[in-house]
Amino acid sequence: GAGASVEFDNDDAFFAIQPFFNFGMAVATREDMRIFLGLNTRVPVIFYDEIENKEANSKDSYSDFGLYTTPNLLGELQLSENWIVYGGAAFEWQVMDYAGEEFSNENGKEELSFLSMQTNRTIAFAGARFQYKRLVLEASIADQLNTNAWSGLIGNFSGMINF
């Protein structure tokens, strides 16, 4: 009825803000070829809902924030008016990630925090793009380097209409 409310709380409920900062520039150009260097950076901040267990008289809260950056290189070659092939590589780097958890019950409060920094992975990719007026079709493949060859191969096909 009117004025009734239902509250949901579980481990999957959270509030997140994730600003992105993407920079890129052409470092070499010719009539039919371009090479770009880029840097994509994100700063996720996540707050999970506080979980209250009334039966155990306990509360648990968790938060996470970090800095992730991906330097990348992209090369494009225009084969004709309608066809472009491209390829490149990107390095995913977790510069810093901080996770904190607070747990409290009748025995007191316990706080845990983790700070991690790691290099993640290098991904190579290649693709082809067909464009005719407003219609764009694109197919690409990507694979993580330094793993079993083709074990993480990802394929992508997309179609777009530009307005």
Side-chain angles (χ1 to χ4, degrees), residues 5-25:
S5 67
V6 178
E7 182 177 320
F8 295 96
D9 60 345
N10 62 48
D11 295 340
D12 296 329
F14 63 89
F15 173 77
I17 299 172
Q18 184 165 257
F20 286 88
F21 307 96
N22 299 321
F23 306 99
M25 62 186 247

Side-chain angles (χ1 to χ4, degrees), residues 2-161:
S5 67
V6 178
E7 182 177 320
F8 295 96
D9 60 345
N10 62 48
D11 295 340
D12 296 329
F14 63 89
F15 173 77
I17 299 172
Q18 184 165 257
F20 286 88
F21 307 96
N22 299 321
F23 306 99
M25 62 186 247
V27 293
T29 59
R30 257 187 21 197
E31 184 178 316
D32 60 346
M33 181 267 314
R34 297 185 297 181
I35 298 176
F36 298 92
L37 286 179
L39 181 67
N40 306 92
T41 302
R42 61 188 175 96
V43 185
V45 179
I46 305 169
F47 297 99
Y48 289 85
D49 283 357
E50 184 175 82
I51 305 300
E52 186 173 355
N53 184 339
K54 292 181 181 176
E55 295 168 4
N57 194 24
S58 66
K59 289 183 182 178
D60 190 11
S61 62
Y62 181 79
S63 61
D64 192 340
F65 66 90
L67 173 63
Y68 298 80
T69 190
T70 305
N72 52 71
L73 173 70
L74 170 71
E76 293 181 336
L77 178 62
Q78 187 161 3
L79 300 176
S80 70
E81 180 181 342
N82 302 100
W83 285 97
I84 294 176
V85 292
Y86 60 88
F91 178 73
E92 296 178 353
W93 178 26
Q94 176 187 323
V95 179
M96 185 274 305
D97 187 75
Y98 173 83
E101 184 171 13
E102 184 178 295
F103 180 79
S104 62
N105 60 23
E106 65 273 353
N107 296 327
K109 186 191 304 190
E110 182 179 341
E111 294 181 20
L112 301 169
S113 62
F114 304 94
L115 180 64
S116 63
M117 293 175 268
Q118 64 184 18
T119 55
N120 289 15
R121 59 190 179 155
T122 302
I123 296 176
F125 54 91
R129 178 183 179 117
F130 173 80
Q131 183 168 351
Y132 179 74
K133 295 185 180 182
R134 295 179 182 256
L135 174 67
V136 177
L137 300 174
E138 186 170 300
S140 64
I141 58 171
D143 196 12
Q144 181 177 338
L145 301 179
N146 300 327
T147 61
N148 294 334
W150 310 110
S151 66
L153 185 66
I154 299 169
N156 182 40
F157 179 78
S158 61
M160 300 166 270
I161 298 175

